Amino acid sequence: MADTLHLAADPVELTAELVDVPSVSGAEAELADLVERSLRAQTGLEVIRSGNSVLARTNLGLPKRVILAGHLDTVPVNDNLPSRLEDGVLHGLGTCDMKGGDAVMLNLAATVDRPRHDLTFVFYDCEEVEAARNGLGRIERELRSWLDADLAIVCEPSNASVEAGCQGTMRVELRTSGVRAHTARGWMGVNAIHGVGEALRRLESYSARTVDIDGCVYREGLQAVSISGGVAGNVVPDLCVLSVNHRFAPDRTPEQAEAHLREVFAGFELTVTDSAAGALPGLGTEAAQELVRAAGGTPVAKLGWTDVARFAALGMPAVNFGPGDPTLAHTQQENVPVNQIRQCREVLHRFLNED
Amino acid sequence: MADTLHLAADPVELTAELVDVPSVSGAEAELADLVERSLRAQTGLEVIRSGNSVLARTNLGLPKRVILAGHLDTVPVNDNLPSRLEDGVLHGLGTCDMKGGDAVMLNLAATVDRPRHDLTFVFYDCEEVEAARNGLGRIERELRSWLDADLAIVCEPSNASVEAGCQGTMRVELRTSGVRAHTARGWMGVNAIHGVGEALRRLESYSARTVDIDGCVYREGLQAVSISGGVAGNVVPDLCVLSVNHRFAPDRTPEQAEAHLREVFAGFELTVTDSAAGALPGLGTEAAQELVRAAGGTPVAKLGWTDVARFAALGMPAVNFGPGDPTLAHTQQENVPVNQIRQCREVLHRFLNED
């Protein structure tokens, strides 16, 4: 392995180099070391290390600051290493999610020589595991001032389009209860599984909202994700538990989403088991508008939940912008078209560097 | 423990003696030994042993033969031994299910001195466990001729009423399938749990038959007994499995019951996982009519499935008639009113003995 990476060279080669250093969540040390050494070799950057995260920033006293963020970890290896370039597409674990984006960020750290805004680069660990281990969360708790900025760009795969904001997510549990009885005398009991029929009926006929915010169209959803009930093959069951996942547009807070679900499932015992706020697209700010213009095209709504929401919660506009198709993330055959890597690098360089 | 039981004495005391020899399924040897020795001490009975079952019969060449059958085993001990007599009620494991009935049978073996029909007594093992271990099934396979008769009386608890025939039981599995998708893009998938809503709707609105056969009223039932589905909290599930238990009156064969369920659940993938035929009450025969007259009152339908159905399948009328409330079977507080033990003994003695 190279002692440092050649950051200013081709971001496609850089992507392959990053991919070929495995960095499954919790085992990012080797890659973080390499990224840290490579960034420290640059001039004009303040670099610090936090666990397996590496942070770097300019301190030029410019009026505005832009954060670029990317996680270093991947989901587990699935017989998809090392990287392989074929017909303009780079294949392998992490190519899409999200070492292509990391490579773009590293290249920018070395090539934006006349920045229009001060820049902060955040390469963090443990994004692909439970929220409590997320490196960005740790940085927020321990190095809060490193996250002050006017715009955050999370370089997660977005097909090289600006994906703005993100939807919120909420999981609720509906429990129906009944009265046990022997099935030979079923009329002496109350069947809790039958009682769930009405909730499934409402799910089936649910009409999800489509919400337009700043030109971004968010399509909501309400889906049963698990169901379980039953005591024995000859017993009328007295309990059934249905879990439902709601994805809601960022014009609603989690509290408003919960109130909506309580209305949809009126008459059922409902418990919120998990929720995360969405993020408004925040495209009204000048910095965000500049990025949209640099990217060309029309920004689209981010439907999944990403760490964009963490930045939005800190009070700044935040967008996703990175190479790769997000629907390929976490699949064995994940890949990234190399032209998207180059395109993202060009757009961001145009946005961040003085002409 | 006594070397032999005093069979001709009070059947209530005899019940207590049987209860106080624990005989959880598979561990009936000690009780079977005691029953075998006690029967061998009687005159006029041919006695054989098969595993932990004991069989005894008269061979008087009478025109008709009546079988009396009872299992010796109990469900597991649940801090409810030894037996305890209180205010005319005998409490303890097996008092109700079914050592009260066994005691009546043993008493009859010793006191019916001028039988109107030849008699066969079957005390068998492992009724309370999976059907493959059932002692009566083993006897049917290995000692088939011992089960030839014109009427079978299974002395399971029936509140000292003649319960005639029994309902059939069938379990079916409905599987709905769908297409997985991320819940953030739920419209790209097909939710298999939502798909079960229609089956639950049909269950909810199902109108069960009530069937009168020979004056016995059978009340059918159709109950969901388990449901499961779900992949992960953020995935549209592609499979849901619903198990349904159908109890059907003995005017239908299992094949007819299955055809009925395929009609009820038309459009769903349905698999029969388990079924057992019911038994017609068979009260039209002379022997059955005599028993009904001896018992007084009106025979009622047996709703649960019992070994009565095994005898019915062998081509003879079969009824339940024994002391104890069947809804107390398998409960910690099971008990039997002693007057029901005495009443069953008197009814059967009157039925089986020449005046």
Side-chain angles (χ1 to χ4, degrees), chain A residues 171 182-184 187 191 193-194 200-201 204 219 223-230 232-235 237 245 247 303, chain B residues 171 182-183 187 191 193-194 200-201 204 219 222-230 232-235 237 245 247 303:
Chain A
R171 258 171 288 272
H182 197 290
T183 49
W187 62 88
N191 196 310
I193 294 177
H194 297 192
L200 296 182
R201 185 177 355 239
E204 245 179 329
R219 190 165 168 183
Q223 296 281 345
V225 291
S226 81
I227 191 166
S228 70
N234 60 356
V235 176
N245 184 206
R247 300 291 175 137
L303 298 174
Chain B
R171 258 170 289 273
H182 196 292
T183 50
W187 62 89
N191 196 310
I193 294 177
H194 296 191
L200 296 183
R201 187 180 353 242
E204 244 178 328
R219 191 166 167 182
L222 190 63
Q223 297 282 342
V225 291
S226 80
I227 190 167
S228 69
N234 59 356
V235 176
N245 184 205
R247 300 292 176 137
L303 299 174

Side-chain angles (χ1 to χ4, degrees), chain A residues 69 124 127 136 152-156 163-167 218 277-282 302 304-321:
Chain A
Y124 63 102
E127 192 269 351
L136 194 58
I153 302 170
V154 177
C155 296
E156 289 265 8
E163 290 190 340
C166 77
Q167 295 208 112
Y218 295 89
L280 285 164
K302 182 76 183 177
W305 194 93
T306 77
D307 277 328
V308 154
R310 292 182 187 268
F311 289 106
L314 295 176
M316 72 195 82
V319 299
N320 283 278
F321 182 73

